[in-house]
């Protein structure tokens, strides 16, 4: 059972599209209208899974583009506008 879940995690949403194609081909070979609904539902799940992937990618880019310390790697910009007190005479 763990190998099936690893397979689903490896292929992601594309596995649902492959399953949909397989079921729709099987429907054309076997008489009846049983596999059409399973094929359509697999296609819908694949579309939903891809939409979630693109939504998560978009949200992660927005959050990662705003750093906590914007001048962290620009050392000279850290001192602009900073007021310091000189303790010893220069």
């Amino acid at each position: 059972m763990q190998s099936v879940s690893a397979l689903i995690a490896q292929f992601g949403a594309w596995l649902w599209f492959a399953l949909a194609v397989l079921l729709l081909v099987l429907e054309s070979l076997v008489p009846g209208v049983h596999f059409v609904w399973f094929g359509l539902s697999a296609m819908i799940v694949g579309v939903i899974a891809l939409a979630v992937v693109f939504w998560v990618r978009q949200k992660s880019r927005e959050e990662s583009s705003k750093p906590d310390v914007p001048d962290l790697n620009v050392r000279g910009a850290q001192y602009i506008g900073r007021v310091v007190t000189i303790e010893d005479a220069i």
Side-chain angles (χ1 to χ4, degrees):
M1 188 67 173
Q2 195 171 17
S3 63
V4 173
S5 62
L7 180 70
I8 291 172
Q10 180 183 2
F11 290 112
W14 300 112
L15 182 68
W16 290 107
F17 289 119
L19 182 65
V21 168
L22 177 73
L23 287 169
L24 292 175
V25 167
L26 188 62
E27 176 62 35
S28 66
L29 297 175
V30 177
V33 191
H34 301 291
F35 295 110
V36 170
W37 305 115
F38 293 117
L40 289 177
S41 63
M43 194 174 299
I44 290 170
V45 169
V47 168
I48 291 172
L50 276 180
V52 167
V53 166
F54 288 125
W55 181 73
V56 168
R57 282 186 180 176
Q58 180 183 11
K59 286 296 181 184
S60 67
R61 285 184 188 156
E62 289 175 2
E63 292 175 1
S64 67
S65 66
K66 298 177 185 176
D68 295 337
V69 183
D71 296 331
L72 181 64
N73 292 325
V74 185
R75 192 162 298 214
Q78 293 176 357
Y79 298 111
I80 297 175
R82 189 171 172 189
V83 178
V84 295
T85 306
I86 298 175
E87 296 178 1
D88 297 328
I90 299 176

